[in-house]
Amino acid sequence: MDRSPANLDRRSLELHRLIAARLRERPDLLAMARNTLERWRRTDPRGCPGWDQWAAALDAGPAAALGLMLDPGERGQYLRSCTPFTRILSARERADFLRRWNAIS
């Protein structure tokens, strides 16, 4: 299993592609990400500087949030490290994804 930073970035991007597909089907789930950000800010006011970028993207609408989520560049890599979309997929869906990923990487 390849645990290089480049592979971990690819894995995170692929996982976010699954999340993006779910959000396209159910844009109402964007509210979960907004709620997650609000909860994180209450418990850790200093938190991740990327939270402000996520909040702005969520306020701008689904296309902006998905664009940021799927940005393959350094900005996208950084923001996926503090993603508020952790609850969009179920624990089982995430585990299934990781099992498949680990089998091919």
Side-chain angles (χ1 to χ4, degrees):
M1 178 173 18
D2 181 1
R3 292 208 169 270
S4 68
N7 193 53
L8 293 175
D9 288 338
R10 282 191 300 275
R11 180 183 75 183
S12 179
L13 179 58
E14 289 303 314
L15 183 60
H16 278 79
R17 285 185 176 140
L18 282 178
I19 294 167
R22 173 71 46 82
L23 291 171
R24 284 185 192 102
E25 295 169 1
R26 298 225 11 235
D28 61 297
L29 292 176
L30 288 168
M32 287 178 81
R34 192 171 281 110
N35 292 339
T36 296
L37 278 175
E38 290 170 7
R39 187 179 70 251
W40 287 349
R41 285 184 166 154
R42 281 192 309 272
T43 59
D44 185 6
R46 291 186 296 168
C48 173
W51 292 350
D52 290 337
Q53 293 178 57
W54 280 123
L58 287 165
D59 289 344
L66 293 174
L68 200 55
M69 178 188 301
L70 300 176
D71 177 349
E74 287 182 27
R75 180 179 183 210
Q77 289 173 358
Y78 169 71
L79 290 172
R80 284 188 294 276
S81 74
C82 59
T83 182
F85 299 98
T86 56
R87 295 175 34 221
I88 302 300
L89 299 178
S90 70
R92 178 163 192 116
E93 289 170 319
R94 187 175 185 285
D96 288 347
F97 167 82
L98 292 173
R99 192 173 11 266
R100 287 189 310 272
W101 182 267
N102 291 335
I104 62 171
S105 66

